[in-house]
Amino acid sequence: MYLIDRIAHTNRWTRRPTPEKLFLCLGGLVLCMAGPAPVTGLLTFAATAACALFAARVPPRAYAAVLGLPIGFLLAGLPVLMISVDLSGGPLLSWRADQIPLAAALIGRAAGAVSCLTLLILTTPVHAMIPGLRRLGLPAFLVEIMLLTYRMIFVVAETAASGYAAQAARLGYSGWRRSLRSLGMLAAALFQRSMTRARHMETGLAARGFDGNLAVLPEDAPPVSALRCAAIALLLGGLFACALWLESLIHV
Amino acid sequence: MHIMEGFLPAAHCVGWAAASAPVVAYGAWRVKKIAEEHPNAKLLLASSGAFAFVLSALKMPSVTGSCSHPTGTGLGAMLFGPSVMAVMGTIVLLFQALLLAHGGLTTLGANVFSMGIVGPFVSYGIFKAVRKSGGSLQIAVFLAAALGDFATYCTTSLQLALAFPDPVSGIAGSTVKFLGIFALTQVPLAIAEGLLTVVVMNLLSKYSEGELKSLNILSDGARA
């Protein structure tokens, strides 16, 4: 059901230290947001796509599938930018060629930012990222709730998938009215199952002396390598310098 | 409707995050209080969060034929109360970005504002108002869910318009443009989600009274 999660667990970068991947991807994200547009974004897009496809060996088809949805949103939003509407005296539409630089900047920034996010989520399992939020100052109880939520998502999703298949096999999704009714029944059943599951977990944990804290052993993460961090810093710096240089060429 | 990663300029990302932060922080403070009183509330919250996430990933039949997903904001607000929903909404939106690539990290603040705060608060307010003025449960649920979605869609359009004002007619014109483009998917979605939520709440009030009672510790008796 969740392509991204499957790839995140099975690529060559899965076991790499999470802080390094966060440094690369979030650094790239900041670069895209702050650097001169659109060149920074486009360069970052190329660099992160190369990292994903050649270094982490993410299957190209999966990579394209993950990138496809946001790109669709981007393409849907662009006409809105390029067509101007005049509201004084009835709506009047006009094509604005002078908006092209703005649209280009948006494409660059969004493409770069999306590919940084894609690289991060395709190479790093979510449960490896959440504990890092603790260091960003998020209270422990929230981090705990998030980890629990993450674990339960897959159980609930499996229940939903089997319920959906059973309903579909009985023609529950033939026609609009019936679909709505089936979906409502599915949602209600899911809610009830979720609550029942929480109650069972309560009972199970209470029998084991639960006092409100779920202590879990941290995974033994590989150590962060200073060399690789330096390489990432060099890459990000290089991208920024390249962008500034290209930008100066364009504006001569 | 999620705003994609990188779509908003940096200043807008920071601004919307700052606007959402106090509400989410208040919600988190309430969750902490609740978790201190009832240690089991953590499990309840986690399974509710997982439920909300999976619900938002289900495909919903839409009038125009385009597939769409229920947002679950209305249902969540009625089940958990709006301030707790702000926290859950933030968690769900973060997971949607990390597991489904819906939305993004830089636009998380803006998306939390429209889907985790405005939508649930509007839903909750309408639900309370209709129930108080003697409307039936079905009508209250339908209006709350549909108008909550509608409020979310208007907020998102406004957020996009503020970032990309029209060169001629400014922010107002741009809001009209975004409202117009997204009306194709969002208006049918609001109606479908309203109907869906009525079906769900009917079934829940019929068969899941015990489960609904267990939620009373989250929102102080918000439901009818």
Side-chain angles (χ1 to χ4, degrees), chain B residues 98-121:
Chain B
L98 296 178
L99 278 173
L100 303 172
H102 287 187
L105 300 177
T106 58
T107 51
L108 187 66
N111 286 330
V112 166
F113 191 82
S114 68
M115 276 180 283
I117 296 174
V118 173
F121 272 93

Side-chain angles (χ1 to χ4, degrees), chain A residues 72-136:
Chain A
F73 181 92
L74 185 61
L75 292 180
L78 280 183
V80 183
L81 250 65
M82 296 300 301
I83 294 169
S84 160
V85 63
D86 189 357
L87 291 175
S88 54
L92 193 70
L93 298 176
S94 59
W95 176 258
R96 302 285 301 211
D98 58 336
Q99 292 286 91
I100 286 178
L102 184 72
L106 173 62
I107 292 176
R109 186 178 67 220
V114 163
S115 84
C116 287
L117 178 69
T118 308
L119 177 65
L120 180 68
I121 63 182
L122 282 176
T123 56
T124 319
V126 169
H127 66 78
M129 283 188 259
I130 298 173
L133 290 171
R134 186 82 189 81
R135 260 180 241 158
L136 288 178

Side-chain angles (χ1 to χ4, degrees), chain B residues 22-71:
Chain B
V23 185
V24 176
Y26 171 72
W29 176 77
R30 280 217 42 205
V31 168
K32 190 179 157 69
K33 284 261 157 210
I34 294 165
E36 275 166 4
E37 278 171 42
H38 314 266
N40 291 333
K42 272 184 201 166
L43 306 172
L44 203 61
L45 281 164
S47 57
S48 308
F51 165 71
F53 179 91
V54 172
L55 186 72
S56 72
L58 290 174
K59 279 197 190 97
M60 188 162 67
S62 183
V63 184
T64 44
S66 69
C67 95
S68 49
H69 305 277
T71 60

Side-chain angles (χ1 to χ4, degrees), chain A residues 176-224:
Chain A
W176 194 78
R177 276 180 68 96
R178 211 169 289 145
S179 304
L180 203 64
R181 193 168 150 265
S182 300
L183 202 62
M185 282 164 67
L186 184 61
L190 274 184
F191 174 75
Q192 198 167 21
R193 291 275 178 92
S194 305
M195 294 299 114
T196 310
R197 189 162 295 121
R199 209 171 52 229
H200 289 170
M201 231 161 95
E202 274 169 38
T203 316
L205 283 169
R208 291 160 180 79
F210 179 56
D211 62 347
N213 289 309
L214 286 170
V216 194
L217 282 176
E219 245 180 301
D220 45 332
V224 176

Side-chain angles (χ1 to χ4, degrees), chain B residues 12-172:
Chain B
H12 288 253
C13 298
V14 175
W16 289 113
S20 304
V23 185
V24 176
Y26 171 72
W29 176 77
R30 280 217 42 205
V31 168
K32 190 179 157 69
K33 284 261 157 210
I34 294 165
E36 275 166 4
E37 278 171 42
H38 314 266
N40 291 333
K42 272 184 201 166
L43 306 172
L44 203 61
L45 281 164
S47 57
S48 308
F51 165 71
F53 179 91
V54 172
L55 186 72
S56 72
L58 290 174
K59 279 197 190 97
M60 188 162 67
S62 183
V63 184
T64 44
S66 69
C67 95
S68 49
H69 305 277
T71 60
T73 48
L75 186 63
M78 286 180 267
L79 291 177
F80 315 121
S83 54
V84 172
M85 187 58 201
V87 180
M88 311 257 285
T90 309
I91 295 177
V92 169
L93 283 166
L94 181 66
F95 281 153
Q96 283 174 337
L98 296 178
L99 278 173
L100 303 172
H102 287 187
L105 300 177
T106 58
T107 51
L108 187 66
N111 286 330
V112 166
F113 191 82
S114 68
M115 276 180 283
I117 296 174
V118 173
F121 272 93
V122 167
S123 284
Y124 188 76
I126 287 173
F127 181 75
K128 281 278 170 190
V130 175
R131 285 303 277 166
K132 212 165 260 175
S133 62
S136 75
L137 179 66
Q138 274 92 340
I139 291 176
V141 169
F142 174 78
L143 288 178
L147 294 178
D149 269 16
F150 195 73
T152 299
Y153 141 71
C154 292
T155 311
T156 310
S157 298
L158 187 67
Q159 286 172 330
L160 292 172
L162 284 171
F164 303 101
D166 192 286
V168 182
S169 46
I171 290 166

